[in-house]
Amino acid sequence: LVEIARAITQERDIDRLLDLILEKSRFITGADAGSIYVVEDSGNRLRFKLSQNESCQFESSEFTIGVSTQSIAGAAVVTRRPINIPDVYRIADEEPFSFDRSFDKRVGYRTKSMITTPMISAEDEVIGVIQLINKKRAPERRLETPEDFEQEVIPFDPRSADLLATLASQAGIALEK
């Protein structure tokens, strides 16, 4: 974490910084994939900035969504707390958010475990969200078949959540600067 903190505080290019934050977040948690959103429009919108996926190649482009509890990323902004979901296809009915399976269907992927953590600035404002997908038993393993997703993907454990929260707080301060 010390080496990661040093690296992200030294990076001055915003796009490379976001890429580095996501890469290191995935590394310390064993996540197969992830995305970063940044808060815009006085906190009313989230801009999807980038994604990474170890097991699947796809084209992605930036888009925005409103900040609300209807999306998982939006709920992390509103509540200012991490959201850890063991299986996004089985979200409890009482939750205000849901998961859109269209990406999975389009590219042949299976999003299962997910953790979404807000990045909070030194000024105590949520400035972005790190969303990690599919913690793997063996981080070097690629997820290619339905069996791989079933056997290799596990929920994000408390240690991963703590490591991600620490990195997210460092990232929030680095992004603010």
Side-chain angles (χ1 to χ4, degrees):
L1 276 176
V2 170
E3 289 176 20
I4 292 169
R6 188 176 300 123
I8 64 175
T9 56
Q10 292 174 350
E11 182 58 62
R12 296 291 176 234
D13 178 90
I14 189 75
D15 291 328
R16 286 199 310 251
L17 176 59
L18 291 171
D19 193 59
L20 185 64
I21 290 166
L22 185 54
E23 175 190 331
K24 298 305 183 184
S25 295
R26 290 179 45 236
F27 173 77
I28 63 170
T29 60
D32 186 55
S35 303
I36 287 192
Y37 296 81
V38 294
V39 174
E40 294 183 338
D41 190 28
S42 302
N44 294 317
R45 301 211 54 85
L46 275 174
R47 177 171 295 279
F48 173 87
K49 287 296 286 182
L50 75 126
S51 63
Q52 298 171 355
N53 190 310
E54 190 72 25
S55 297
C56 158
Q57 300 296 327
F58 58 92
E59 290 292 321
S60 67
S61 57
E62 291 186 17
F63 61 88
T64 64
I65 59 172
V67 171
S68 78
T69 57
Q70 292 180 324
S71 72
I72 298 166
V77 172
V78 171
T79 64
R80 301 171 58 89
R81 298 192 186 285
I83 299 171
N84 190 347
I85 306 169
D87 187 344
V88 295
Y89 283 22
R90 294 184 174 95
I91 293 173
D93 290 339
E94 63 269 9
E95 295 292 354
F97 48 79
S98 60
F99 178 75
D100 179 1
R101 299 182 189 192
S102 62
F103 169 82
D104 285 6
K105 289 178 184 173
R106 189 173 75 244
V107 301
Y109 193 72
R110 167 56 161 105
T111 302
K112 193 169 181 183
S113 61
M114 178 184 288
I115 189 165
T116 307
T117 301
M119 292 184 283
I120 300 175
S121 73
E123 301 295 320
D124 201 37
E125 293 179 21
V126 178
I127 60 172
V129 174
I130 302 170
Q131 187 168 73
L132 301 180
I133 298 167
N134 290 345
K135 178 176 178 61
K136 298 184 285 189
R137 290 182 195 278
E140 69 282 354
R141 183 89 193 260
R142 287 178 58 96
L143 304 174
E144 297 172 338
T145 67
E147 293 78 22
D148 291 340
F149 288 94
E150 194 57 41
Q151 295 169 5
E152 292 297 321
V153 177
I154 57 177
F156 288 91
D157 59 335
R159 178 166 166 72
S160 293
D162 289 345
L163 289 170
L164 181 60
T166 300
L167 194 147
S169 67
Q170 294 169 344
I173 292 166
L175 279 169
E176 183 180 42
K177 290 181 180 179

